[in-house]
Each structure stands twice: as structure tokens, then as C-alpha cells.
Amino acid sequence: MRRTIYTAEHESFREAFRAFLDREAVPNVEKWEQAGTPDRDFIVKAAENGYVGFEFDPRHGGLGIDDFRYNAVMTEEVVASGMAGDTFSMQNDIIVPYFRDFATDEQRDRWLPDFTSGRAVTALGMTEPGAGSDLAGITTSGRLDGDHLVVNGQKTFITSGATCDLAIVLVRTGERDGRGTTFVVAEHGTPGFERGRAMHKIGRKAQDTAELFFTDCRIPVANIVGEPGRGLSTAIRNLPRERLSIAVSGVASARHAIDLALQHTRDREAFGARLADLQAVRIALAEMHTDTLVLQSYVDRCVEALNQGDLRADEAAGAKYQATELQWTVLDRVLQLFGGYGYMEEYPIARMWRDARIQRIYGGANEVMKDLVGRTLVGS
Ligand SMILES: Cc1cc2nc3c(=O)[nH]c(=O)nc-3n(C[C@H](O)[C@H](O)[C@H](O)COP(=O)(O)OP(=O)(O)OC[C@H]3O[C@@H](n4cnc5c(N)ncnc54)[C@H](O)[C@@H]3O)c2cc1C
């Protein structure tokens, strides 16, 4: 079925971005997996080509493009390249709205030129060892002292945490009453702010994930992003976009896996015929293909709704859990169709499978997403 959300401009953008990834990313994926992070050079090159922070105003180095379809195209191509890096989704899909919608002009002048040139890699630090799904329970504190916040505490599982130059961090500045949390930007090099080492993960190895430590770290109040005391409200405003980004990658990953399965089952022979000639295999392919097509339409519709400014939190949560559950089911079935080869690192399906597991956990665990949808339905 032909998808209708993209125009010719999106498709030519896709071709250019795909060529960029083929040239600059695909040959290096193995190296980045060993290093645990992509090269900074790669991010700078991506930025030079307009792939980082393109939504920002041209005076800050952006292209002034406010159309999430371009973000979706990039996500789909990153998935198809086998890169499984989170650089673009983190910078473009997740961080951008914090600066675009909540930073002051002075802050944008200060940080965005480095962001859009790839000189500043950013991270978003919300999760703590004692508070993940229940973010209202964070304890990293930000005590006001003159014109500084004195920050103490620890964040964990932070994407780009080991390499970030700027971390947007959620800290407790008041009671647990909806008015007690604040986002503040910690700059690498500020005394009392330490980035941890990259954590050992079972997948997404080309992307660093780390702890952040704060010990009497004095951060100017000029670095507060959004309304003080309303950090969680700011996060809640941005989470539907983050969850949609995960949904886009989930469906793209399922589609790519089905393409791999088609190729493999046409090539591989067993019992005197192609695997694809076995009816059980064809039924598996048909189910995966149709389920993915159906979900693609819903996710495309969510992208349009986001562009129109009316994507609801429950709609994005539904897209996130449905797409990542489908992704997991499809990838596992496709790996099965590859037999023992699917378990070998050199086969792309193996890496896709282990990289996919986290999708049902981060951005809000799928159980939490279902609860959000359910509470919206019953009005609680
Ligand atoms: C690779 C990776 C990258 C990440 N990147 C970031 C990042 O950049 N920034 C950041 O701030 N965080 C990040 N995270 C953290 C991630 O968002 C959290 O791990 C996630 O929100 C779950 O929190 P938790 O791990 O504390 O699990 P918990 O909150 O302890 O939950 C554990 C499990 O309990 C169940 N559960 C919890 N609450 C409910 C509920 N209400 N109803 C039903 N079941 C429930 C779910 O099954 C859940 O998976 C990352 C994590 C990983 C692994």
C-alpha cells in the first residue's frame, strides 16, 4: 500500500540522507560498537549537512524546518542502515523541543550554534537509580543559593551520558506536589558535574549510556530551562513526541526485518524447495506484513497529528507500546526464519533483535503506556 504522508521533497531528502549514511555510517558501525559511541567527527559531518537541529532558526544554524516527517524519514533510514544509533533521535526528536519551546532567547544564542554545528552533544537526564517510571520520585536536589542552584544527586541510563557537553537535567527544587521539579542545563566542565563511564548493555552498543553525578555542583539559575518548579509539566509536554519517535523506529525496524526475511526465505532451500514455498513460512510472512502495514497507517496518522499540534498523550502512548510490541514479535519471528544464521553476529537480524529489546522499556515502559491509555479512557 502506498504511504501518503511523504511528498517528493521528503523522498529526495531521504535519498540524500541514505547516501550520507551509506558513506559515513555504515562502514563504521562495527568500529562504533567496539568504541561504544559514534565518532564525534560523524556528528560534526552530519551537522554540516543540516541533519542536526534543522528545526531551529537559521540564525542559530538550523534550517527553520518544522515538519516531523523529516525526523521520521531520518529515523526510518537510520533503522534501514543497521546503525541503531540514537544520536539523531536524541538530538532532533527528543532534545530540540526543550530548547525550541522552553529556552529563553539568551539561552538559544548561547547553546544552539554549538548544537547545530555538532560541537555540543546533548543528553536528557531524568531517570535516577531510585526513580524511572515514577519520575515524581526523583531526589537529585537543586537548592537555590543566590543566583545558582546547588545540585546534588545522580542520574542513570542517560543516552550520550558519557560524551555529552550539555545535559538537561531534572532536579527537585520543591515538594512532591507537581510544582517541585525544574530542568536545568549542566555544562561539561562545571565543577561537581561528572559523567560516568559507558554502561555495558546487551544492545545498542554503538551508543553510550551512562550515569551522571552531581556533587555540590553550582549551576547558574540562568541555565534553568522552562518554568522553575514545573519540570514535570515540561517533560509531559514533550513526551508524546519522544514516544512517537520510538514508534516510528519500531515500525521501520519491523518493515526492514520483513524485507530481510523475504530475501532469506526466497534464497534458502530446505526439503527440496525454497523456505518461502512452505505454507507455514508464507503465513508467517503474511501475518507480519499485514500487521505492520496496519500499524504503519496509525503511526503515519500520529505523525500528521503531531505536525498539526493535536497528537494526544494517550495516542502517542498507544503508538509507542503497539509499535514496539509488534517490532519485538516480528524481529523474533524473523530471527527464527533465519535459523542458526539468525543467531550469528554477522547477520543484521541478530543485531536488530538485541537492539530492539530496550524499545519496550525506555521512553516509558509499555505497561505504563497502557495504564496511561486506560486512565485516559476511564477519566482517572
Ligand atoms: C539504553 C537506555 C537508554 C535510556 N536513555 C535514557 C535517557 O536518555 N534519559 C533518561 O532520563 N532515561 C533514560 N533511560 C531510562 C528509561 O527511560 C527507564 O529505564 C524507564 O523509564 C524505566 O524505568 P526503570 O528502569 O527505573 O524501571 P522501573 O520504573 O523500576 O520499572 C520496572 C518495570 O516495572 C513495571 N512497571 C513500572 N511502573 C508500572 C506501572 N505503573 N504499571 C505497570 N507496570 C509498571 C514495568 O514493567 C517496568 O519495565 C534509558 C534506559 C536505557 C536502558
Side-chain angles (χ1 to χ4, degrees), residues 74-365:
M74 287 181 69
T75 300
E76 289 171 3
E77 290 307 312
V78 165
V79 167
S81 76
M83 178 186 159
D86 298 307
T87 302
F88 296 112
S89 55
M90 180 48 69
Q91 304 301 304
N92 293 333
D93 300 358
I94 298 174
I95 300 282
V96 160
Y98 284 87
F99 289 132
R100 190 195 59 191
D101 303 337
F102 296 97
T104 62
D105 284 343
E106 181 278 326
Q107 290 172 333
R108 290 191 198 109
D109 290 345
R110 199 149 42 103
W111 291 320
L112 296 193
D114 282 346
F115 184 104
T116 53
S117 61
R119 287 193 299 271
V121 166
T122 49
L124 180 64
M126 298 202 282
T127 306
E128 297 184 357
S133 303
D134 180 16
L135 281 177
I138 62 156
T139 57
T140 295
S141 60
R143 181 177 52 81
L144 190 61
D145 180 25
D147 55 3
H148 284 76
L149 283 181
V150 182
V151 177
N152 279 287
Q154 181 184 344
K155 297 289 173 183
T156 194
F157 303 146
I158 306 306
T159 301
S160 302
T163 51
C164 64
D165 303 283
L166 302 174
I168 309 176
V169 184
L170 188 66
V171 298
R172 175 153 300 289
T173 47
E175 300 303 311
R176 190 177 167 152
D177 61 357
R179 292 193 158 267
T181 54
T182 300
F183 275 110
V184 66
V185 170
E187 301 178 43
H188 175 51
T190 306
F193 170 33
E194 297 293 333
R195 307 174 305 189
R197 274 177 305 168
M199 301 166 103
H200 291 294
K201 307 193 295 278
I202 60 174
R204 303 189 99 82
K205 291 177 185 284
Q207 178 67 56
D208 58 296
T209 305
E211 293 169 303
L212 304 177
F213 302 98
F214 298 92
T215 313
D216 292 330
C217 177
R218 295 179 67 81
I219 303 181
V221 291
N223 283 17
I224 289 175
V225 170
E227 198 184 329
R230 301 308 300 255
L232 273 182
S233 309
T234 303
I236 287 166
R237 282 263 307 275
N238 291 338
L239 279 167
R241 176 169 154 139
E242 172 174 346
R243 289 169 182 160
L244 180 57
S245 168
I246 296 172
V248 169
S249 72
V251 179
S253 169
R255 280 177 38 207
H256 186 55
I258 293 165
D259 287 344
L260 296 177
L262 285 171
Q263 203 182 327
H264 179 74
T265 55
R266 285 188 195 120
D267 292 346
R268 177 92 179 148
E269 296 213 350
F271 304 103
R274 306 179 310 168
L275 277 183
D277 294 325
L278 297 169
Q279 190 184 34
V281 169
R282 287 201 304 270
I283 288 172
L285 291 169
E287 286 175 351
M288 293 190 288
H289 168 74
T290 307
D291 290 351
T292 305
L293 266 186
V294 169
L295 199 59
Q296 182 74 77
S297 297
Y298 178 64
V299 171
D300 284 353
R301 179 70 201 96
C302 287
V303 170
E304 288 172 340
L306 184 82
N307 269 356
Q308 289 152 7
D310 63 3
L311 178 68
R312 294 194 339 220
D314 58 310
E315 293 166 343
K320 191 268 175 182
Y321 87 69
Q322 194 71 22
T324 56
E325 296 290 344
L326 175 88
Q327 176 188 16
W328 183 249
T329 307
V330 167
L331 264 55
D332 199 55
R333 289 180 89 179
V334 170
L335 192 150
Q336 188 76 14
L337 289 174
F338 270 80
Y341 299 96
Y343 202 63
M344 297 298 125
E345 283 283 355
E346 65 262 39
Y347 279 73
I349 188 62
R351 182 184 288 155
M352 288 175 73
W353 182 79
R354 64 172 156 75
D355 288 343
R357 186 61 185 86
I358 187 57
Q359 293 263 90
R360 291 158 62 209
I361 299 172
Y362 63 15

